[in-house]
Amino acid sequence: MFNAIGEKLEEKAMINFLQRFDANPFKVKFQDNEYIIGEGTPSFTVNMKEPIPVSKLMSSTSIALGEAYMDGTLDIEGDLYDALNHFLGQMDQFATTGDVLNKLTHNPLTKKHQAEEVQSHYDIGNDFYSLWLDDTMQYSCAYFEHPTDTLYEAQMHKIDRILKKLYLKEGLRLLDIGCGWGFLLIEAAKKYKIKGTGITLSHEQYEKFQQRIKDNHLEDYLEVRLMDYRDLPKSGLEFDRVVSVGMVEHVGRQNYQLFNDCVDSVLVKGGVFLLHFISGMDEKPGDAWMSKYIFPGGMLPSLREMVADMTEDNFHVLDVENLRNHYNLTLLAWDKNFRAQLPKIRETFDERFIRMWDLYLNGCAAAFYNGMMDLHQILATKGINNDLPITRWY
């Protein structure tokens, strides 16, 4: 009797909390009761096996709802992406206490700890990523020149666009910081005959890239190293071009200037630097659930702070491009592939992992759609370079 009454009180308290997300109507169903939040016909239904304590929702709305979905306590009747669009479009109504964010975002920035954080995500396994990425094995924002582009075509467009921005020529030395599985450098070597070096902290990516170099007979053009960007200044390496795609988000806010300093240390005068990164509108810590489960230690730079840090090293910004909507389409394509491969994924991973990953892909797609995150490419030169075209040649 007492437990039943307590559960009803928690149910009512949860509904009172959810009333803040009333911009568009949705239904909440418990075992014995259902409620409508907002006005009009509900576009989706939140099915609850048991109420989430308001204390958890107030401590971190993101973690409380995310963990409930992962555990199967909360399920969505309808389209998960549409539901997340609804909630993330009202992100200002989420609650997160300072101590929760501090524990998740104030991680040690040592080389050892940051390597462990990177490996926790990227070393899940090449077999896993190959199931739902396209054949290029690119785990970053694609570029959709046409609405009908396949994911593979859009990823090829992205690489082509980046390589054109770098204004490559035969024999130039190109460094890729956070090179992933190496496709960008492979294409650069094939198309432009550059001399390329990729660095990564992921053992899985390192081994796959090494094999790809051999398979493509590019040993005379490319090399990959297991290397921290902070080791670049003492490496003795020198490059005409530097590119970094989706890596700076992992270095920590305190290290953004250091990251740019390290690029400066190996780039020749007049050299070209392209930085491709997920950015936030301001310098907030980020989402608690994402920090806890997906990208431990991850932090989104704002565009303004990254440009300011680049300016400290006398980088002259030539161009800034926002590919936010392209990342929304990329993530939706990944999730479609992910869901299509669920029978194979279930052979290795449990249901909680699968629900977590599905939530991650759809949640990020919704976050880009709602402008909570942007995807910027900054093109800059080290000092003045008057030899490059004066129009956007790409």
Side-chain angles (χ1 to χ4, degrees), residues 14 17 48 52-71 73-74 95 288-289 293:
M14 181 180 172
F17 181 88
M48 297 298 306
I52 303 171
V54 171
S55 58
K56 288 188 176 182
L57 289 165
M58 290 300 297
S59 177
S60 172
T61 307
S62 177
I63 290 177
L65 294 176
E67 289 181 341
Y69 184 80
M70 289 162 59
D71 295 334
T73 302
L74 181 160
W289 180 84
Y293 287 102

Side-chain angles (χ1 to χ4, degrees), residues 4-131:
I5 293 173
E7 188 166 300
K8 292 298 180 186
L9 289 174
E10 281 196 338
E11 182 180 304
K12 292 285 188 183
M14 181 180 172
I15 291 300
N16 287 337
F17 181 88
L18 293 178
Q19 294 288 350
R20 62 180 66 189
F21 301 103
D22 62 354
N24 298 294
F26 66 99
K27 183 185 292 186
V28 183
K29 288 173 64 175
F30 293 90
Q31 291 182 357
D32 301 320
N33 300 298
E34 57 182 55
Y35 308 84
I36 303 293
I37 307 293
E39 298 182 1
T41 304
S43 57
F44 63 92
T45 298
V46 178
N47 288 314
M48 297 298 306
K49 290 183 179 178
E50 60 187 49
I52 303 171
V54 171
S55 58
K56 288 188 176 182
L57 289 165
M58 290 300 297
S59 177
S60 172
T61 307
S62 177
I63 290 177
L65 294 176
E67 289 181 341
Y69 184 80
M70 289 162 59
D71 295 334
T73 302
L74 181 160
D75 213 347
I76 298 297
E77 186 179 319
D79 189 272
L80 176 60
Y81 171 68
D82 288 342
L84 290 167
N85 256 333
H86 169 85
F87 283 105
L88 297 183
Q90 303 171 82
M91 194 73 179
D92 57 335
Q93 298 299 323
F94 277 52
T96 308
T97 58
D99 61 325
V100 170
L101 274 179
N102 285 336
K103 289 177 182 177
L104 291 171
T105 59
H106 286 74
N107 296 333
L109 298 180
T110 62
K111 292 178 183 177
K112 181 177 183 294
H113 188 81
Q114 289 197 304
E116 290 171 351
E117 290 177 339
V118 168
Q119 290 157 12
S120 73
H121 186 88
Y122 296 96
D123 283 353
I124 291 172
N126 291 336
D127 291 342
F128 170 67
Y129 286 105
S130 66
L131 286 174

Side-chain angles (χ1 to χ4, degrees), residues 177-247:
I177 303 175
C179 60
W181 291 279
F183 190 79
L184 184 150
L185 285 174
I186 289 170
E187 285 297 292
K190 286 181 176 180
K191 291 181 178 179
Y192 299 96
K193 296 183 179 179
I194 55 86
K195 298 286 187 177
T197 299
I199 66 172
T200 180
L201 293 176
S202 165
H203 293 275
E204 291 273 327
Q205 291 179 342
Y206 171 77
E207 291 173 5
K208 179 69 172 181
F209 190 7
Q210 277 194 318
Q211 187 59 50
R212 283 177 130 183
I213 292 171
K214 293 177 184 176
D215 292 344
N216 286 276
H217 309 292
L218 294 172
E219 293 92 337
D220 292 338
Y221 292 93
L222 301 178
E223 67 165 342
V224 57
R225 301 186 182 195
L226 272 173
M227 182 178 181
D228 191 288
Y229 72 94
R230 285 167 284 195
D231 292 327
L232 286 170
K234 61 184 180 183
S235 68
L237 298 171
E238 190 174 65
F239 298 94
D240 306 288
R241 304 287 188 265
V242 174
V243 64
S244 184
V245 177
M247 180 272 177

Side-chain angles (χ1 to χ4, degrees), residues 244-261:
S244 184
V245 177
M247 180 272 177
V248 75
E249 301 93 317
H250 295 288
V251 307
R253 177 155 281 117
Q254 294 167 260
N255 282 348
Y256 295 155
Q257 186 63 63
L258 175 61
F259 174 82
N260 284 291
D261 293 347

Side-chain angles (χ1 to χ4, degrees), residues 138 155-169 172 174-176 182-194 222 241-243 245 272 274 276 377 379 388 393-394:
Q138 290 183 79
Q155 290 290 13
M156 293 300 294
H157 294 326
K158 185 269 296 293
I159 290 296
D160 186 57
R161 192 167 182 81
I162 287 176
L163 297 183
K164 284 179 178 177
K165 285 186 179 185
L166 288 168
Y167 200 61
L168 298 176
K169 296 179 182 178
L172 289 182
L174 171 62
L175 170 67
D176 187 351
F183 190 79
L184 184 150
L185 285 174
I186 289 170
E187 285 297 292
K190 286 181 176 180
K191 291 181 178 179
Y192 299 96
K193 296 183 179 179
I194 55 86
L222 301 178
R241 304 287 188 265
V242 174
V243 64
V245 177
V272 180
L274 186 142
H276 169 123
Q377 285 185 357
L379 186 69
L388 297 177
W393 62 97
Y394 46 85

